[in-house]
RNA sequence: GCUUCGGUGGCGGAAUUGGUAGACGCGCUGGAUUCAAAAUCCAGUUCUUUCGAGAGUGUGGGUUCGAUUCCCACCCGAAGUACCA
């Protein structure tokens, strides 16, 4: 029997599990190395071949680092709270906990078949109460902290209270923008407890406030900005509308600048950093204050172009701006009111899809230009966003295309402040290549100087300041869902109170149904045991609420990103019950050295978790600021979908490229009924779905061909390839190698099962190096020079490639190596032993088998990675290509130790030179030792 | 629109600081083995060709003895983002 992958893989998977081979200790003299994958959400569909791509890469790297003598932490867990389990619960009434557990065990089975070296003793699940106890604890920490903009870090709220008691909030507010009303220390002391609580909420990092949220009626919950794609919910693609609600938020905006700066210190993919930069959206500009005629109120605007301030001809407010109703004149009230109502009704999606049409109304009020006291009409329009800046803009039609279009549409004057620039057709929006004119004291200046002078003058008048604005919004932290972490919060006089740490976790109550209550409360409102007894310090029946000792609990739960924002710290010490991780464990493992996962989390998890770690770092709860030094984004493996042509309204299907004068529509068919030549198994299809049972299929030239298209791999597209199937047919080692061989790890690439035979036969050839007719057959003599050369060439290449995460080229290197050794008929034990260790990170099962057959008792896991010896690949003579003017003509054998001059002398003596010179004169000979000779003529 | 990444055979993809373009694998063609098939092995496989050679890495230009690689302009594709003032 030759290479029996089934038996081998079973044997070694059992061996690793029985011997706890991959269990890792927190106490070790070895240097540490931490390799982590983004933990999966255990969905009901199970894994397809795309999922393990990143896990295979990280596993190869982990196994490589073990061979290199590191103490490697390579854990895995589950992000097990989330929407799909809850949607399923709504449909079936089954507890999400049950279905989640089933999904997890299916995931585990699939993962185990691939031979990963995870330390499963450290498994974590975000939905376990021992885990979310600490998520709740950290939420309390966020609640009990405020952001000190002067020191630029989070500090305990107790210290803020001390400051308020001593000096009020004057100094604090001076350095932050969303400052609240000023009060003195005396006033602070005079406030009631209720008022104090309310004021403090304005400073806490976790706070409760009434805000505009993205409400998804279909899902019955709010969503964060990153959970909305194209104005529709990421999950399910439902409509999202704006709505005012009282919600928990996290003050991530306080960390905008640090999150931006921190990108410099981490080795993350450039495109991903770019996405985070855009999301944070820093823009440097000024805050300008415009007086409003006949009112005390001022309009604050944010602008990046103060230099164009003399080009302002009107002001525009967002319809939601609270000032609008106040300043609108009587005769304009009706049209303004109608406009506000109309735009409030529009969904985000409508607003977005309707970018081009111009709309707005005049309020009848006027603002006053800060420098020349000109009257500027105040308009409202929904091209101004309430959520960005101050929800108001100073409109400069000559310099901004939107303002320009608006002015043209409503016949508002356009003033040209750019010297000799034509603005009759469009605005001049460039920041360079112009000189200001018509601009009073700014005349003759360029962008940079104009900007500086305008800000200075505004400063003098106390009408404007330099200001940096960020797009990054505070993150909404409440979800109206069941399957998430409950808040450790109860309400006393409608003000939130945190449940003390000693009584955590606050466990999720059971409910009889998972939908919102009749009166629209979140699902937790269905529980009749969700009240907090402040005497017994435990959850009690709702009927006991008396608002004296028993209080109502928070009904919302936390969002999916809560649990995933800190899980990398928990792996270090996952069973700790007195702390989220011990100081010793945190100090030993510090941070993740290599983090592998998809770039789709760029502006979600990967931003939130950075923020969360900064916060923990500020409170000195973790020893490092950045939790992941290096990040690798694995690309998606795409499916190769199959379609057949159906005549619209009939059950007639046609082969591809058939010519028929009828209307076709494309119908997905399961790829398992299509062979590698794109031919459809019609009989199989008939049994697949009833609609095909009696359908007619018209072939072309005796064949029924499908149309192929590359799409995302998904159950609904019937293009899913299951890794279990591949493991059955070819084995896990082949699958691992093939997934790596497909192409660069970070690139998206289509799956094509046909190509897998290449890696499969590679493993068979590797097996046959040491086996003859099923028996071990090796020689123990001294290895030949040639075989050593092949081996060391491979060691060098493979090690370089692993360090560059270029696994596709290292698989190629192995193939070349085995092919060459095979043609040498090399079955030398020493060579095979070394090669086996080298290959073991990629194909661990077969390597363990060969390794043990060669007489080794220990697992190959902790052997030493082979040392590359350059002596073996040294060549005394090399074939040099000789080219004329860069065109290769012939080859010449020369000594590799020759200097450039010696090479030149040698080439001059070669008789072939004459022939190729063909009478031309040599101008120059370029020789690079070991590489190339070029003759310029 | 903006930002980022990419464009190389029939296909997936290689190519160190600019130095033999197409490694490796799939597919295809021919051959060996076989009663036959599968499996395996060997040879070939960018295109054109008068078999000398010529052209060739999205297009056009530039730098260089020499460009897939560097520079400029453009075309196409993917991802992200968007009335962001």
């Amino acid at each position: 029997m030759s290479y029996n992958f089934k038996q081998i893989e079973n044997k070694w998977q059992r061996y690793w599990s029985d011997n706890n081979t991959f269990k890792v200790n927190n106490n070790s003299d070895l240097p540490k190395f931490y390799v982590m994958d983004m933990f999966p959400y255990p969905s009901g569909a199970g894994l397809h071949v795309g999922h393990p791509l990143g896990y295979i890469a990280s596993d190869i790297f982990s196994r490589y680092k073990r061979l290199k003598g590191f103490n490697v932490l390579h854990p895995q867990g589950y992000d097990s709270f989330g929407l799909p389990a809850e949607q399923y619960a709504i449909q079936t009434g089954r507890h999400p906990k049950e279905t989640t557990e089933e999904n997890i065990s299916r995931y585990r089975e699939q993962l185990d078949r691939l031979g990963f070296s995870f330390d499963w003793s450290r498994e974590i699940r975000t939905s376990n109460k021992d885990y979310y106890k600490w998520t709740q604890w950290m939420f309390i920490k966020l609640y009990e902290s405020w952001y000190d903009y002067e020191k630029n870090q989070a500090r305990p709220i107790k210290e803020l209270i001390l400051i308020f008691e001593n000096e009020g909030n004057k100094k604090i507010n001076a350095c932050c923008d969303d400052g609240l009303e000023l009060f003195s220390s005396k006033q602070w002391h005079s406030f009631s407890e209720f008022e104090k609580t309310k004021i403090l909420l304005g400073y806490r990092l976790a706070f409760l406030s009434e805000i505009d949220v993205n409400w998804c009626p279909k899902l019955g919950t709010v969503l964060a900005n990153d959970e909305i794609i194209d104005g529709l919910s990421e999950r399910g693609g439902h409509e999202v509308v704006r709505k005012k609600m009282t919600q928990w938020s996290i003050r991530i905006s306080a960390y905008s600048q640090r999150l931006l700066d921190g990108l410099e210190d981490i080795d993350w993919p450039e495109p991903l950093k770019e996405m985070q930069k855009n999301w944070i959206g820093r823009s440097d500009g000024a805050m300008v204050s415009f007086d409003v005629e006949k009112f005390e109120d001022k309009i604050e605007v944010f602008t990046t172009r103060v230099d164009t301030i003399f080009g302002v001809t009107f002001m525009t407010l967002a319809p939601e701006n609270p000032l609008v109703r106040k300043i609108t004149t009587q005769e304009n009230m009706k049209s303004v009111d109608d406009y506000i109502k109309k735009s409030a009704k529009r969904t985000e999606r409508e607003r977005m899809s309707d970018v081009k049409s111009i709309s707005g109304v005049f309020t009848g009020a006027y603002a006053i230009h800060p420098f020349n006291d000109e009257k500027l009409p105040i308009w409202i329009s929904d091209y101004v966003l309430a959520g960005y800046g101050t929800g108001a803009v100073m409109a400069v039609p000559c310099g901004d295309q939107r303002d320009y279009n608006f002015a043209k549409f409503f016949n508002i004057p356009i003033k040209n402040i750019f010297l000799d620039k034509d603005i009759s057709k469009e605005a001049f929006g460039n920041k360079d290549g112009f000189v200001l004119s018509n601009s009073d004291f700014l005349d003759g200046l360029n962008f940079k100087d104009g900007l500086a002078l305008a800000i200075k003058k505004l400063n003098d008048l106390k009408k404007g300041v330099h200001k940096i604005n960020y797009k990054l919004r505070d993150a909404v932290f409440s979800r109206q869902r069941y399957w998430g972490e409950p808040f450790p919060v109860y309400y006393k006089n409608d003000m939130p109170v945190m449940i003390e740490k000693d009584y955590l976790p606050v466990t999720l109550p059971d409910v009889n149904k998972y939908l919102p209550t009749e009166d629209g409360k979140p699902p937790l409102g269905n529980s009749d045991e969700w009240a907090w007894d402040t005497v017994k310090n435990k959850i009690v029946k709702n009927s006991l609420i008396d608002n004296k000792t028993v209080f109502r609990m928070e009904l919302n739960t936390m969002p999916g990103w809560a649990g995933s924002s800190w899980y990398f710290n928990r792996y270090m010490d996952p069973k700790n019950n007195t702390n989220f991780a011990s100081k010793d464990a945190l100090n030993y493992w510090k941070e993740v050295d290599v983090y592998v996962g998809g770039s789709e989390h760029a502006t979600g998890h990967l931003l939130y978790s950075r923020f969360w770690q900064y916060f923990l770092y500020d409170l000195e709860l973790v020893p490092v600021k950045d939790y992941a030094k290096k990040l690798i984004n694995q690309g998606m493996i795409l499916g190769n979908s199959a379609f057949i042509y159906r005549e619209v309204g009939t059950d007639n299907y046609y082969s591809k490229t058939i010519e028929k004068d009828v209307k076709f529509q494309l119908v997905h068919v399961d790829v398992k009924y299509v062979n590698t030549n794109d031919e459809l198994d019609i009989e199989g299809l008939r049994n697949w779905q009833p609609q095909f049972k009696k359908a007619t299929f018209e072939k072309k030239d005796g064949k029924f061909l499908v149309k192929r298209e590359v799409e995302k791999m998904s159950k609904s597209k019937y293009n899913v390839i299951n890794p279990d199937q591949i493991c059955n047919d070819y084995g896990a080692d082949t699958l691992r190698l093939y997934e790596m061989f497909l192409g660069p790890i970070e690139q998206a690439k289509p799956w094509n099962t046909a190509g897998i035979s290449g890696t499969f036969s590679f493993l068979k050839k590797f097996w046959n190096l040491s086996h003859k007719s099923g028996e071990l057959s090796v020689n123990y003599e001294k290895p030949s020079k040639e075989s050593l050369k092949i081996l060391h060439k491979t060691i060098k290449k493979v090690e370089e490639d692993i360090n560059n995460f270029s696994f596709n080229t290292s698989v190629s290197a192995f193939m070349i190596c085995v092919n060459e050794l095979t043609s040498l008929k090399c079955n030398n034990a020493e060579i095979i032993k070394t090669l086996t260790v080298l290959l073991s990170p990629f194909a661990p099962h077969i390597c363990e088998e060969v390794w043990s057959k060669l007489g080794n008792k220990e697992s190959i896991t902790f052997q030493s990675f082979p040392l590359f010896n350059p002596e073996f690949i040294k060549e005394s003579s090399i074939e040099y290509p000789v080219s004329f003017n860069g065109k290769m003509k012939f080859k010449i054998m020369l000594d590799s130790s020759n200097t450039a001059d010696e090479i030149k002398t040698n080439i001059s003596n070669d008789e072939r030179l004459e022939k190729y010179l063909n009478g031309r004169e040599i101008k120059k000979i370029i020789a690079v030792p070991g590489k190339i000779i070029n003759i310029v003529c």
Side-chain angles (χ1 to χ4, degrees), chain A residues 167 174 238 285 400 410 431 461 513 529 552 671 721 826 879:
Chain A
E167 53 190 60
H238 305 299
D400 182 287
F410 290 108
K431 281 188 178 178
L461 291 170
K513 69 184 187 96
E529 199 163 337
R552 71 182 171 92
V671 290
I721 306 289
C826 167
E879 209 172 30

Side-chain angles (χ1 to χ4, degrees), chain A residues 5 14 86 225 289 504 527 614 631 666 701 767 804 825 902:
Chain A
F5 56 86
R14 177 163 307 166
E86 179 158 348
N225 287 345
S289 164
L504 298 180
S527 172
Y614 280 12
L631 177 74
L666 289 171
D701 305 330
W767 179 259
N804 293 326
K825 296 200 165 56
E902 284 165 344

Side-chain angles (χ1 to χ4, degrees), chain A residues 393-613:
Chain A
V393 300
M394 57 174 228
V396 184
C398 65
D400 182 287
Q401 196 57 44
R402 287 156 312 172
D403 296 345
Y404 185 91
N405 295 344
F406 195 84
K408 279 264 159 160
F409 192 81
F410 290 108
N411 274 321
I412 302 168
I414 298 173
K415 181 177 165 191
N416 192 353
I417 53 158
F418 302 110
L419 189 66
D420 298 335
K421 294 288 175 205
D422 177 25
I423 56 155
S424 59
K425 294 233 167 54
E426 55 178 16
F428 180 80
N430 297 353
K431 281 188 178 178
D432 47 28
F434 71 86
V435 167
L436 290 164
S437 76
N438 270 331
S439 291
D440 199 336
F441 57 88
L442 297 175
D443 280 356
L445 298 179
N446 62 15
F447 167 69
K448 211 178 132 216
D449 298 338
L451 200 73
L453 186 60
I455 290 180
K456 193 179 167 293
K457 291 269 184 184
L458 283 166
N459 259 319
D460 294 346
L461 291 170
K462 294 209 175 343
K463 287 197 169 164
V465 284
H466 175 232
K467 162 97 203 248
I468 290 158
N469 208 30
Y470 301 92
K471 272 195 269 182
L472 185 65
R473 301 271 71 100
D474 287 331
V476 184
F477 202 65
S478 305
R479 294 291 183 277
Q480 292 67 45
R481 307 301 303 185
Y482 172 73
W483 192 232
E485 298 88 347
F487 282 85
V489 174
Y490 64 90
Y491 287 88
K492 198 172 178 177
N493 300 327
D494 282 334
M495 276 296 150
V497 184
M498 295 294 130
I499 288 166
E500 276 174 57
K501 291 158 197 139
D502 297 347
Y503 310 115
L504 298 180
V506 175
T507 51
L508 196 58
D510 283 333
V511 291
N512 46 20
K513 69 184 187 96
Y514 302 98
L515 282 169
T517 62
E518 306 277 298
D519 51 348
K521 284 189 192 131
L524 288 189
N526 289 319
S527 172
D528 41 334
E529 199 163 337
W530 196 235
W532 187 254
D533 187 322
T534 54
V535 178
K536 292 180 187 154
N537 283 311
K538 59 179 232 189
I539 297 284
V540 293
K541 291 220 177 320
N542 293 357
S543 53
L544 298 171
I545 293 176
D546 57 7
N547 287 317
K548 290 183 188 105
T549 57
V550 180
F551 300 93
R552 71 182 171 92
M553 290 284 292
E554 169 70 60
L555 297 177
N556 287 302
T557 54
M558 297 188 199
W561 55 270
S564 60
S565 289
W566 67 277
Y567 72 115
F568 32 86
N569 289 317
R570 185 64 176 172
Y571 282 134
M572 299 175 187
D573 191 9
K575 304 223 160 61
N576 195 323
N577 207 28
T578 55
N579 218 326
F580 69 93
S582 72
K583 280 267 178 272
D584 283 351
L586 286 162
N587 283 325
Y588 178 68
W589 293 110
K590 287 195 176 71
E591 77 277 84
V592 179
D593 292 282
V594 174
Y595 190 18
V596 180
S599 62
E600 67 271 22
H601 300 105
T603 53
H605 159 65
L606 287 171
L607 193 62
Y608 294 130
S609 51
R610 286 185 59 219
F611 151 75
W612 201 285
Q613 180 81 356

Side-chain angles (χ1 to χ4, degrees), chain A residues 121-137:
Chain A
S121 73
R122 292 174 185 252
E123 181 199 294
I124 58 176
R125 303 179 184 187
T126 53
S127 62
N128 268 8
K129 59 181 195 297
D130 293 340
Y131 182 87
Y132 70 67
K133 168 180 176 177
W134 298 106
T135 312
Q136 292 174 338
W137 181 80

